[in-house]
């Protein structure tokens, strides 16, 4: 194909910084936009196929036989009044309907996101928004292109507000229609708005200085800026891991010490047994937003903390909470928490290194409308386009590999809790949580492999039962 005919193809944004600029003969400029859109469509088609499989799985009306057989074995260890299988069978239809509503809505949301992405690319949304940011910054603040970092913050503010507005209808429907319909949402409209405003405020207060410093480091760092950017991301990650639970999370939820009693004593005893330096034990008022339940840990060094959702305390017994915490502590004891942190840092290092190799690829930016050779490419634009184009396939593959790794870690943490002597309690506890959260009882195999960071319930229960048989 003759590259001189490239202007005849529909792979040039409608808005470009310089409409009369003659396209170069660089294949990257010619193909970058087309390949990005093609990749976006392929990902949408593949994930849509998996969504369709999951939707059909939610339309099944027969209770899954494997789950029935597995839970029957759990019930054999308990009296008839607390049997779990009848409860699961009773809520099977509700679970299927909940999942069907969620996957149907997710398919609509995904279709819109893909449509928006492609339209924005073809219209030249990024170069148009950047040029308008330059105009606004000059008109109201007197900034010029020499003030690139300041203009970048204006640009990101506009992008953030546009993203917030376009995603808001989907968030409202998910929260106040789907979650409310199935009895999970406890959030009032006032609380929803307050949370959204707090989130935006934190985005600007924390995200603004973060982006400004990152851009400054990239500009200052020379050819090896990726090393300095990597170090900055490491420090920022550590700071945020320290500050988020202490300063930011309390802005959204109330954390109160777990009342003195048998459960508190047993949790501290379990922590001592595993040499986990537990300093504080909290209960979080998760019920003010949702009836979903959870538990998590955080902290550095010898200052570890455990948080239990108040909904979790209502849904399971104390011995089951201990088993669940045995699982969570297993993640810590087996090094999963540290491994995930190290993996994240390696990801940042690799991403910044490859970005440094493409930083001066003007043809890439020209393909998306930044084709005015007289203007330097803004660093924030270079970052956004790199992650949206060249890095996107890598990111997709790494995301899948991390999902696979996460599932492996979940099995390992289950095994850890079983080895602590909590097998029966963990099996019943997980089943109850699954029951109360209307979790999927017969998920599609390929959908779960691609999307689930936790293995399906029946796989986890079967694995624990296999361990029990080996120890007998």
């Amino acid at each position: 194909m003759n590259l001189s005919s490239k202007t005849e193809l529909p792979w040039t944004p409608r808005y470009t910084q310089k409409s009369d600029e003659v396209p170069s003969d660089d294949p990257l400029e010619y193909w970058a936009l087309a390949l990005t859109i093609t990749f976006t469509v392929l990902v949408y088609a593949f994930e849509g196929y998996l969504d369709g499989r999951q939707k059909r799985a939610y339309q099944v009306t027969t209770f899954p036989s494997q789950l029935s057989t597995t839970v029957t074995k759990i019930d054999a260890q308990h009296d008839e009044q607390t049997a779990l299988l009848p409860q699961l069978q009773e809520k099977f239809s509700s679970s299927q309907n909940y999942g069907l509503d969620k996957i149907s809505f997710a398919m609509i949301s995904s279709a819109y996101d893909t449509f928006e992405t492609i339209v924005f690319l073809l219209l030249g949304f990024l170069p148009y928004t950047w040029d308008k940011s330059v105009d606004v910054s000059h008109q109201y603040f007197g900034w010029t292109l020499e003030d690139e970092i300041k203009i970048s913050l204006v640009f990101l503010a506009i992008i953030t507000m546009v993203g917030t507005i376009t995603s808001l209808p989907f968030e409202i429907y998910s929260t106040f229609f789907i979650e409310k319909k199935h009895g999970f949402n406890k959030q009032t409209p006032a609380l929803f708005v307050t949370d959204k405003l707090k989130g935006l405020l934190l985005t600007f207060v924390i995200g603004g200085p973060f982006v400004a410093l990152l851009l400054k480091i990239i500009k200052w760092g020379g050819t090896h800026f990726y090393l300095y950017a990597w170090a900055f991301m490491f420090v920022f990650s550590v700071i945020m891991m320290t500050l988020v639970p202490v300063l930011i999370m309390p802005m959204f939820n109330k954390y109160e010490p777990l009342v003195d009693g048998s459960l508190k004593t047993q949790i501290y005893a379990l922590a001592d047994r595993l040499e986990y330096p537990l300093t504080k034990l909290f209960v979080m008022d998760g019920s003010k937003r949702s009836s979903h339940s959870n538990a998590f840990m955080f902290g550095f060094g010898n200052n570890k903390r455990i948080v239990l959702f108040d909904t979790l305390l209502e849904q399971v017994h104390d011995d089951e909470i201990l088993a669940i915490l045995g699982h969570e502590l297993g993640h810590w004891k087996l090094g999963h928490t540290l491994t995930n942190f190290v993996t994240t840092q390696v990801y940042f290092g690799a991403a910044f290194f490859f970005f440094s190799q493409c930083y001066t690829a003007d043809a890439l930016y020209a393909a998306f409308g930044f084709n005015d050779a007289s203007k330097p490419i803004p660093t924030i634009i270079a970052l956004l386009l790199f992650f949206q184009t060249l890095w996107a396939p890598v990111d997709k593959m790494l995301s899948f590999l991390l999902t696979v790794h996460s599932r492996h870690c979940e099995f390992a943490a289950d095994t850890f809790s079983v080895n602590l002597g909590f097998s029966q309690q963990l099996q019943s506890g997980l089943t109850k949580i699954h029951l109360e959260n209307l979790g999927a009882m017969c998920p599609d195999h390929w959908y779960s492999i691609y999307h689930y960071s936790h293995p399906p319930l029946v796989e986890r229960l079967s694995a624990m039962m296999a361990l029990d048989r080996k120890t007998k």
Side-chain angles (χ1 to χ4, degrees):
M1 181 179 292
N2 186 354
L3 292 181
S4 63
S5 64
K6 65 181 69 177
T7 53
E8 300 174 5
L9 295 176
W11 302 121
T12 302
R14 184 173 182 83
Y15 178 90
T16 59
Q17 287 187 321
K18 199 170 184 181
S19 58
D20 58 347
E21 184 74 11
V22 178
S24 71
D25 289 335
D26 194 314
L28 185 60
E29 181 177 349
Y30 181 59
W31 289 108
L33 180 57
L35 290 176
T36 299
I37 293 176
T38 301
F39 178 74
T40 301
V41 172
L42 288 175
V43 169
Y44 168 72
F46 173 69
E47 295 183 347
Y49 166 73
L50 294 179
D51 288 345
R53 292 180 61 97
Q54 181 71 352
K55 185 173 183 178
R56 289 191 293 274
Y58 281 131
Q59 293 171 331
V60 172
T61 57
T62 305
F63 192 84
S65 58
Q66 186 180 3
L67 183 60
S68 177
T69 301
T70 305
V71 177
T72 297
K73 297 176 182 178
I74 299 176
D75 286 342
Q77 309 296 323
H78 301 83
D79 56 62
E80 293 184 3
Q81 293 182 344
T82 59
L84 294 169
L85 182 57
Q87 299 179 58
L88 286 171
Q89 291 173 329
E90 181 182 352
K91 287 198 173 183
F92 177 67
S93 177
S94 298
S95 170
Q96 292 290 85
N97 289 333
Y98 178 50
L100 187 59
D101 283 349
K102 286 199 302 179
I103 195 67
S104 298
F105 178 69
M107 293 173 75
I108 295 173
S109 178
S110 177
Y112 172 78
D113 287 342
T114 303
F115 172 78
E116 180 186 89
T117 298
I118 294 174
V119 169
F120 278 11
L121 287 173
L122 291 176
L123 290 180
F125 175 73
L126 284 182
Y128 177 82
T129 305
W130 175 260
D131 287 349
K132 289 301 177 184
S133 300
V134 172
D135 294 341
V136 168
S137 298
H138 180 71
Q139 180 178 352
Y140 292 99
F141 306 108
W143 298 340
T144 66
L145 291 178
E146 297 295 321
D147 302 297
E148 181 191 317
I149 294 178
K150 296 178 182 178
I151 297 174
S152 296
L153 296 181
V154 174
F155 168 78
L156 285 178
I158 296 174
I159 294 291
T160 299
M161 295 308 300
V162 170
T164 299
I165 292 170
T166 57
S167 65
L168 192 59
F170 296 94
E171 293 181 31
I172 291 174
Y173 186 84
S174 175
T175 301
F176 294 104
F177 289 88
I178 295 178
E179 294 296 309
K180 183 178 180 180
K181 173 184 175 181
H182 295 278
F184 290 116
N185 180 56
K186 308 297 180 185
Q187 200 170 15
T188 63
L191 183 59
F192 179 86
V193 172
T194 301
D195 282 351
K196 184 61 63 178
L197 293 176
K198 287 180 181 178
L200 286 173
L201 178 63
L202 289 171
T203 297
F204 294 129
V205 171
I206 298 176
F210 163 75
V211 171
L213 280 172
L214 178 61
L215 297 180
K216 188 72 174 179
I217 289 170
I218 292 174
K219 287 182 166 298
W220 165 82
T223 56
H224 294 93
F225 73 80
Y226 59 90
L227 293 175
Y228 305 112
W230 188 12
F232 171 68
M233 289 301 300
F234 173 79
V235 173
F236 181 77
S237 298
V238 172
I239 292 174
M240 291 305 293
M241 289 175 66
T242 304
L243 295 183
V244 166
V246 178
L247 298 179
I248 297 177
M249 288 168 54
M251 294 175 61
F252 296 88
N253 289 95
K254 185 184 297 183
Y255 295 81
E256 296 181 344
L258 180 65
V259 296
D260 293 336
S262 174
L263 177 60
K264 184 174 183 178
T265 301
Q266 291 181 80
I267 292 175
Y268 273 100
L270 177 62
D272 289 341
R273 176 183 172 187
L274 300 176
E275 300 180 337
Y276 180 78
L278 178 61
T279 57
K280 293 184 179 180
L281 184 56
F282 294 110
V283 176
M284 191 188 87
D285 61 338
S287 59
K288 79 175 185 178
R289 288 183 176 80
S290 172
S291 58
H292 290 300
S293 56
N294 203 353
F296 61 92
M297 307 180 305
F298 63 91
F300 274 105
N302 294 322
N303 185 25
K304 306 287 189 182
R305 306 176 185 192
I306 292 177
V307 176
L308 305 173
F309 280 40
D310 54 358
T311 47
L312 182 66
L313 297 175
E314 298 172 357
Q315 295 173 0
V316 298
H317 296 142
D318 288 0
D319 58 345
E320 293 164 337
I321 290 178
L322 286 173
I324 292 168
L325 290 180
H327 168 96
E328 297 300 332
L329 289 166
H331 285 304
W332 170 78
K333 195 72 172 179
L334 297 172
H336 297 163
T337 306
L338 180 60
T339 299
N340 289 337
F341 179 77
V342 172
T343 300
T344 301
Q345 300 312 309
V346 172
Y347 170 86
F348 285 141
F352 280 120
F353 171 75
F354 283 105
F355 171 64
S356 72
Q357 305 304 300
C358 309
Y359 188 23
T360 57
D362 292 343
L364 172 65
Y365 314 127
F368 293 88
F370 293 90
N371 60 344
D372 189 343
S374 66
K375 298 178 181 178
I377 297 299
T379 302
I380 189 64
I381 296 298
L383 273 170
L384 289 176
L385 288 179
F386 168 75
F387 281 102
Q388 190 175 10
T389 57
L390 302 180
W391 192 250
V394 178
D395 196 46
K396 215 51 164 171
M397 180 58 67
L398 289 177
S399 177
F400 172 69
L401 293 177
L402 290 175
T403 298
V404 174
H405 175 69
S406 175
R407 290 160 65 96
H408 170 77
C409 290
E410 292 303 319
F411 279 124
D414 284 345
T415 301
F416 185 86
S417 186
V418 168
N419 291 336
L420 291 175
F422 292 130
S423 181
Q424 296 299 324
Q425 296 87 343
L426 184 59
Q427 291 175 41
S428 60
L430 290 178
T431 304
K432 288 180 181 179
I433 292 174
H434 205 78
L435 176 69
E436 296 297 331
N437 288 282
L438 295 181
M441 298 188 195
C442 53
D444 176 76
H445 177 68
W446 294 110
Y447 179 91
S448 66
I449 286 178
Y450 184 77
H451 284 291
Y452 284 13
S453 61
H454 289 57
L457 176 65
V458 69
E459 293 183 18
R460 298 179 69 178
L461 297 178
S462 298
M464 284 185 271
M465 290 177 181
L467 288 172
D468 289 340
R469 289 193 295 270
K470 289 181 180 180
T471 58
K472 289 183 180 179

